[in-house]
Every structure is written in C-alpha cells, then in structure tokens.
Amino acid sequence: MYTVLLAGGGHTHLEVIKSLSAERDPFIRWVLLSPDRYHYYSGMFSGYAEGLYSLDEIRVDLKQLCLDKKIDFMEVAVESIKPDQKKVVVSSGQILFYDRLSIDVGSHTAPDFIEGLQERQVHIKPAHLFPERMEVCQLARELVIIGGGAAACEMAFSFHAWKEKRGRKYDVITVISSGPFINEQADPVIESLFRQKGIQFYKNDRAIKVDDRYVYTENDRDIPYHEVMFLGGAQAPKWLEKSGLSTDEKGFVLVDATLQTVDHSDVFAAGDCAALATHPHLPKSGVYAVRQGKVLAHNLVASLKREKLNDYIPQKRGLILLATGNKEALALYGKVVRFGKLAWLWKDWIDVRYMRKLKKLSD
Ligand SMILES: Cc1cc2nc3c(=O)[nH]c(=O)nc-3n(C[C@H](O)[C@H](O)[C@H](O)COP(=O)(O)OP(=O)(O)OC[C@H]3O[C@@H](n4cnc5c(N)ncnc54)[C@H](O)[C@@H]3O)c2cc1C
C-alpha cells in the first residue's frame, strides 16, 4: 500500500481530489491534511466583502468532500517536513510517513519588510478566520490597503460598496501602491473609479512602517488608520524554507515542469507555494493553481507506477476579472480592457459555476 499525503486543501489539491474516481488504484491511500475543514475560494472574497455572497457560497467543505471521495481527512496543519526521512510533522504532534508528498499550502499576506505591519495588520490568509477579519475591515472608520494589484484594488472597491450601502459616508479607504496598479490600459479606468467613489490612493509610493496610528510611506506621508491590510503580493510560508527543500529567493518551493521539487522526486508542490523553475515569473493566481491540478493528479500516480510524467505548461496570458463594486467589473485580457455590468456578470457566472461544480462533489 502506498500513501500519498496532500498537504493543504488549496485550489490544486481540490482538482486532484475531484479527479479521483471510484475505480482508482486501491493500493494508493490518499490523505488530505488541512488546518481547517473548509477551503475558502479567493475569487469570491471581494463579493463576500461587499455582502453579495454568503459564507456558504464561498467555501467548500473539505471534510465532506474527502468522505464522498473515500479519502482520509485530517484537520491538522503541516509544521515541518523531513524529505530525507519521507515524513512530515503535523500540528497534533503526529509524525506521518509518505511515499509521495504534495504541498499546496498557498501563500500568506504578512511580509516582514514593512516595520510593525505583521503584528498590526488584518491577515486575510490563512483563510479560516476570513469572515471575522472581513467584518473588522467593513466596520473600520479608516481602512488602509497596502498593495496595488488586482486583489488590493478589488478589495478596496468591495469594502467601499459595502460601506456605501450602509450609509457610512465618513469612512475613509486608502490604497497605497509602490508601483502602477495593473497596467497602462487598466490604470486610468481604476484611478477614475477610485476618484468617483472617493477612495484615496497613492501610486508609486511605498509603505515602509506601521505604528499604532499611522502607515508611513517612502514619500513622507503619514496615513492614519484603524485597520490596515497588506495585499501587495503573495508571501512564502516561512516553515517551507526550513523544510530542506530548495526554494527560490522569495522562499517558494522550486519545482520543475512536472511539479516535482527539484531535489526530491517524491515531493511535489503546486499553487502559490511553488515556484516553477521553467517559468520563474508566473503570477501567483488561483487560475494557474487550478490548471496545475490535472497534471499533478496524473504525476502523483504515474511516479508511483514509474510511468511517464506530464509537464505543466502555463497558459500564456490569463483573463483578469476585477470586481469594482455594485455588480460592475473590469475585464482585462492583455491590453484589452472592458468595464461594466457585463464583466461582473461574467465573473459571477465563472465563480458561481466553479463553486457549484466543486460542491456537487461534496453534497
Ligand atoms: C483578496 C484576494 C483575492 C484574490 N482573487 C483572486 C481571483 O479573483 N482570481 C485568482 O485567480 N486569484 C485570486 N487571488 C489569488 C489566489 O488566492 C491564490 O493564487 C490561490 O488561492 C492559490 O491557490 P493555492 O492552491 O496555492 O492555495 P490556497 O487556495 O490559498 O489554499 C491553501 C490551503 O492550504 C492550507 N494551509 C495553509 N498552511 C497549511 C499548513 N501548514 N498545512 C496544511 N495546510 C495548510 C490553507 O488553509 C488553505 O486551505 C486572490 C488573492 C487574494 C489575497
């Protein structure tokens, strides 16, 4: 009997679990390790923050899914990996041995390069405390969001919409971005929407320090806040660097095109926590994490059976659908930008359909 440990119930592992059929190899035991019984779908974070979706609509019950798929579920976090001994240590103190280990533990949003931020910010990930964290931000009189990519802009729009619907017109939202927001084509639209909605923004300025009352920037701004949130890019879980696996300069586990780690062929990694050696600049996005699922599912089994492994080849360009509040969105594909209700309907259709398919497996 072989044991495959799936560390983390992220987007990629959900695809792996989904692909396990009733006729699968009975000599492979699959075990999912997750610190929480739910997976929260980040594509719908903004809709939840705005009050458009309920908690049940944005999460998948991992325990139930595992039950349905007849695989083992352990509600534990992986704390360390000993790849040379083929074992992991989990938060319950147990030591688990594996024949294949796959890591899909995502990323976090707590960088250590902004002084004072880690201990003061509202952490959006890991996601199981997500609902209460969203409420704290919704109710904040002065909310500062550090970061200028799709996630930061989208969350600013969503919190604004939530506040607007409740007449909280004196609340202030500020976005601080160290560079441009998305690109030359999208930025004028985003900036014009920020202005229309009264969302403050500072572009090309960098948050460098946070104390109990202000966020300080490189350009000498002191921005008052009640709650601050970093959405300026995925950060690698610190324990991964100590795992004995090779990582890139940011601490993400280095994998080759087969999603095998570069130095341990029995350990795989995917999603945000992995850095593809063949595509070092691949964005950390759920879209890529999901697409890795099919290759990972095949390769985990193929490597046990000594069969040929497949390569993961990322799509060249991804569609970004960025919610801007009040059921409107921006659709960005390369240099093409479209704004309006249709883009939001498209996003909603994709997200709701994706979740419906996942939930069907666990209902
Ligand atoms: C606000 C926001 C909005 C976003 N919106 C989008 C979007 O619209 N579209 C898009 O494509 N991307 C979006 N992203 C990016 C997206 O969230 C990530 O790229 C995606 O979640 C990565 O998937 P993953 O499988 O790597 O990890 P995740 O989906 O984050 O899952 C990782 C899982 O691992 C678990 N875990 C963590 N630590 C451990 C541990 N030690 N042991 C075991 N399990 C552990 C976590 O609980 C979690 O369930 C957004 C990100 C943010 C922050």
Side-chain angles (χ1 to χ4, degrees):
M1 184 67 123
Y2 293 118
T3 298
V4 178
L5 293 184
L6 301 175
H11 288 70
T12 319
H13 280 170
L14 279 175
E15 294 299 308
V16 172
I17 296 171
K18 231 167 84 175
S19 75
L20 295 176
S21 72
E23 293 79 42
R24 65 179 183 262
D25 188 332
F27 295 102
I28 303 177
R29 174 179 171 244
W30 297 82
V31 186
L32 175 65
L33 312 172
S34 169
D36 192 56
R37 108 173 244 171
Y38 295 102
H39 163 86
Y40 292 83
Y41 174 49
S42 56
M44 291 167 106
F45 279 6
S46 60
Y48 180 82
E50 186 179 340
L52 298 176
Y53 304 121
S54 69
L55 197 54
D56 269 344
E57 284 174 294
I58 70 160
R59 68 185 186 184
V60 178
D61 187 339
L62 295 173
K63 194 173 177 181
Q64 188 59 47
L65 180 63
C66 290
L67 203 67
D68 295 346
K69 285 288 185 175
K70 298 189 173 47
I71 77 171
D72 294 339
F73 175 76
M74 291 177 69
E75 201 169 317
V76 289
V78 175
E79 292 194 331
S80 65
I81 302 171
K82 306 264 179 280
D84 294 330
Q85 297 163 44
K86 291 183 165 233
K87 68 181 189 188
V88 302
V89 180
V90 296
S91 48
S92 59
Q94 285 162 285
I95 295 172
L96 308 175
F97 290 88
Y98 61 80
D99 295 288
R100 294 293 177 271
L101 169 67
S102 176
I103 311 168
D104 175 25
V105 293
S107 54
H108 66 79
T109 52
D112 49 18
F113 50 78
I114 301 176
E115 193 187 327
L117 176 70
Q118 282 216 32
E119 59 272 31
R120 292 184 175 90
Q121 77 149 332
V122 181
H123 297 266
I124 203 164
K125 289 192 176 189
H128 54 283
L129 298 176
F130 179 72
E132 57 195 73
R133 287 166 183 174
M134 288 303 95
E135 196 183 334
V136 162
C137 293
Q138 286 163 337
L139 297 174
R141 296 267 317 282
E142 292 162 316
L143 173 66
V144 172
I145 296 179
I146 302 172
C153 295
E154 193 172 63
M155 293 307 278
F157 285 126
S158 300
F159 286 126
H160 175 269
W162 187 91
K163 288 167 178 295
E164 195 183 37
K165 281 176 212 159
R166 285 153 189 86
R168 296 175 68 99
K169 56 183 176 193
Y170 299 111
D171 287 5
V172 181
I173 298 177
T174 307
V175 179
I176 308 170
S177 174
S178 57
F181 292 126
I182 310 278
N183 60 29
E184 274 175 39
Q185 289 73 28
D187 282 17
V189 187
I190 291 173
E191 287 170 36
S192 140
L193 286 168
F194 276 164
R195 279 191 203 96
Q196 271 173 41
K197 293 169 190 278
I199 297 172
Q200 289 189 157
F201 63 94
Y202 301 110
K203 245 171 101 170
N204 301 313
D205 195 2
R206 190 179 291 274
I208 48 170
K209 186 181 158 184
V210 176
D211 67 15
D212 288 339
R213 186 68 189 105
Y214 295 96
V215 177
Y216 300 89
T217 74
E218 212 165 49
N219 295 346
D220 287 334
R221 289 193 174 93
D222 307 347
I223 303 164
Y225 80 92
H226 288 115
E227 299 298 341
V228 57
M229 177 180 253
F230 179 86
L231 289 174
Q235 311 294 310
K238 283 274 173 270
W239 62 271
L240 279 179
E241 265 179 304
K242 296 178 198 139
S243 64
L245 301 168
S246 292
T247 58
D248 71 358
E249 70 289 352
K250 292 182 179 153
F252 296 105
V253 180
L254 265 179
V255 295
D256 59 29
T258 58
L259 304 176
Q260 276 169 311
T261 58
V262 292
D263 36 23
H264 290 85
S265 59
D266 47 7
V267 181
F268 292 70
D272 277 11
C273 70
L276 213 59
T278 48
H279 295 80
H281 304 297
L282 194 70
K284 302 286 183 202
S285 136
V287 176
Y288 295 103
V290 168
R291 296 273 176 96
Q292 289 169 5
K294 203 171 162 197
V295 175
L296 181 63
H298 170 84
N299 287 355
L300 283 168
V301 176
S303 74
L304 284 169
K305 296 186 172 174
R306 299 183 193 288
E307 289 170 1
K308 188 178 174 305
L309 272 57
N310 292 338
D311 283 351
Y312 164 70
I313 300 162
Q315 68 265 41
K316 286 223 168 66
R317 151 185 320 165
L319 168 71
I320 300 177
L321 290 165
L322 192 160
T324 56
N326 301 310
K327 299 195 174 178
E328 292 180 326
L330 266 180
L332 313 166
Y333 190 73
K335 293 185 173 178
V336 182
V337 181
R338 294 283 178 274
F339 167 70
K341 299 259 179 227
L342 212 57
W344 187 85
L345 285 172
W346 191 6
K347 176 173 168 53
D348 177 62
W349 183 79
I350 291 173
D351 290 338
V352 170
R353 190 163 146 263
Y354 171 73
M355 285 303 273
R356 205 171 282 153
K357 273 193 187 164
L358 276 180
K359 279 165 178 269
K360 251 196 198 141
L361 296 167
S362 63
D363 286 344

